[in-house]
Each structure stands twice: as C-alpha cells, then as structure tokens.
Amino acid sequence: HPDKLALPVGTTLDRFIMRKQEDFPYATGELSQLLRDIALAAKIVNREINRSGLIDIAGAYGNRNVQGEDQQKLDVIANIRFIRALRNGGEVCTIISEEDEEVIQTGNVQGKYIVAIDPLDGSSNIDVNVSIGTIFSIYRRVSPTGGEGTRQDCLQTGTHQVAAGYVVYGSSTMLVYTTGNGVNGFTYEPSLGEFFLSHPNIQTPATGAIYSINEGASATFSAGTTAFVAYCKEQNYSARYIGSLVADFHRNLLKGGIYMYPASAKAPQGKLRLMYECNPLAFIVEQAGGKATSGRCRILEIEPHEMHQRSPVFIGSSELVEKAEQFLAQDN
Ligand code: AHM
Ligand code: MG
C-alpha cells in the first residue's frame, strides 16, 4: 500500500494517525483509537517515571500517601496504566503482558484486537537514571467477536502483527511505531503534552559499526556467537551495551548496528521474550529495512507455543545480521 501523503516533521501524533487512517478507505478507526490509547498511557507513564526521583524527597517532607503505603514499583505502575488505558479504550479484548503470568481479559468482548506488551523494560535501570522503555505489539483477533480472546488469538506468529512500537523514556521521550507501512518516530514535548513527528520514515542503515551484546557472558556463548563477536572486533566495531533493550535497539536503528541476545549454555533460549520483545522489534526493524533472526530462522516466523516463550535474537542492520547468520550456521 503506497504512502499517499508524506506528512511534515512537526505533525502531531494524533493528526498523523488520523491522516494515515484516511489512506485506508474502509478503516473503521479502531486501530487508530487503540494507538491513541497507547500514546496516552505512555504520557502517563512518562510522568510517573520523571517524578520517580522525587518520591524519596517528597517522602522526607512527610508527603507519603495517606495509607502510608510504600510507593509501588514503576514497572507495576506502568503495567496497571497500560492495562487500564487499553481496557477503557474498548478496542482490545485480551492483553498479554510480560508482567502477568496469565492472560488479561479486558471484558471488551466486541474488541477486535489483542495486545502483547512489556510495559516497562529494563526496569533494573530505573534506580540509576538510565533510559527504559515500553514495547508493544498488536494483533487482530482470529476468534469471532462476542467472547473472550482465545489462546490462538494470543499465540499468533509475528508475521500477523498489524502494528508494533516502542516508547523510549530517555533524554527525550519518543514513540516509534509501524503499522506495516514504514516506521515513524515521534518526540514528546512535555510542556505541550504532545508527541510530534520528528523521525519520518525511519530507514536503518544497511550496515553499521556498532555491536551490542552482554560480553560478560562470553564464556557461555556458542561457537558461532563467539566467532561473530571476534569478527566484530576484527572490524574495529564499537561495543555499545546499555542493558536496556529499547535504548540499545533505538540507537542501533538510527545509527546502524546489531543487537544480540544469544542462546548460551546458561540460557539455551536466550533471555528475551518472543511475544513482548523480539516480535515487535523484529517487525519494526524489517519495516525500516533491517533484519531479525534467532540464528535458526526469521524471528517473525517463529511459531509461539507459550505466552512467555524466549528466543535468542540477532537484530539490526541487514548486512550485519546476514553476517551473523553465516557465523551462526555452524551451531545448527
Ligand atoms: P527485563 O524484561 O527483566 O527488564 O529484562 C530485559 C532486559 C533488556 O532490557 C536488556 O536488553 C536485557 O535484559 C539485559 O540483560 P543482561 O543483563 O543479561 O545483559
Ligand atoms: Mg522486558
């Protein structure tokens, strides 16, 4: 589906979503509404994150909440906020969240969409003021409306995503998403409470000079991963690893590079979750011209059999991922 109109930098997210919807003559606007619900929850979570450093100070002034409860952890708050926004929005029948063991039925039995979400990824970074993120993925339900979303609704392969995105809460807060028609990035202007188009039609460089992996675990890497990391060093690539997936991914998307969370002797399926982390970022990277593989196959084609399933992932610039695949072939 060709882009009928390119929208200028500075377009608000709401307007952008509305105009994109006009490109699809039969669209009912439900997906647009769902994207706006996510953006609203992101603003709320952004506010909570920015205030988090103040909580102890406020506490010191006797400003604790009336019940004297301990402040809830931010990842729990983010989970509650996103679920509430999706429930109130009405378009989503079922949510699966990295924070919840079980599926969440919203009660919106007419809702046509399923959302998979990691509400606050990299939460170990909060205490040290490092960027964190939200990652989401949207599917159309396959079961008929009128009842709860089913297991099959929730366990669709990544190729069935209708939209995916992330929010990075960093030096600026940004929302980046795709509906399968390119990738666009929006930067939050807190004084106006709006996201503005800042990165239209993101294309990731075909190659790059950054590799991102937790090398502390190198003793447990496979032969293929070890050889590829050695190759990156021979090429004099820069090592960059924040330890916050969204931030590492976002940097490499814009600059060119490869992010890896491999299988290891300790974690044979790697660490990252297929439904909440690998699939949404794989959809985005492919839409931006990049690639994502598990080392065995394309991430988006992995058959999920369990909500919280993990997968190894090698994701980023197409030439670097292809190079990694060559080295990883020896493990298969
Ligand atoms: P989390 O979902 O428990 O926050 O863990 C995911 C995070 C990612 O943000 C990051 O890329 C990865 O874990 C880092 O893991 P490690 O410390 O093993 O390198
Ligand atoms: Mg996570």
Side-chain angles (χ1 to χ4, degrees), residues 299-314:
I299 290 288
L300 293 182
E301 288 174 9
I302 296 174
E303 202 77 56
H305 44 80
E306 206 255 306
M307 266 168 66
H308 297 293
Q309 177 171 334
R310 299 172 199 268
S311 173
V313 62
F314 300 78

Side-chain angles (χ1 to χ4, degrees), residues 252-279:
N252 291 3
L253 183 74
L254 297 184
K255 294 197 165 182
I258 184 166
Y259 176 94
M260 303 172 256
Y261 209 108
S264 68
K266 236 172 52 194
Q269 290 307 316
K271 176 185 186 188
L272 300 180
R273 314 283 183 156
L274 177 64
M275 302 305 289
Y276 318 110
E277 291 162 332
C278 302
N279 269 338

Side-chain angles (χ1 to χ4, degrees), residues 98 118 121-123 214 241 243-245 259 261 271-272 277:
E98 209 207 62
D118 184 350
D121 183 75
S123 44
N214 185 347
Y241 194 75
S244 200
L245 175 61
Y259 176 94
Y261 209 108
K271 176 185 186 188
L272 300 180
E277 291 162 332

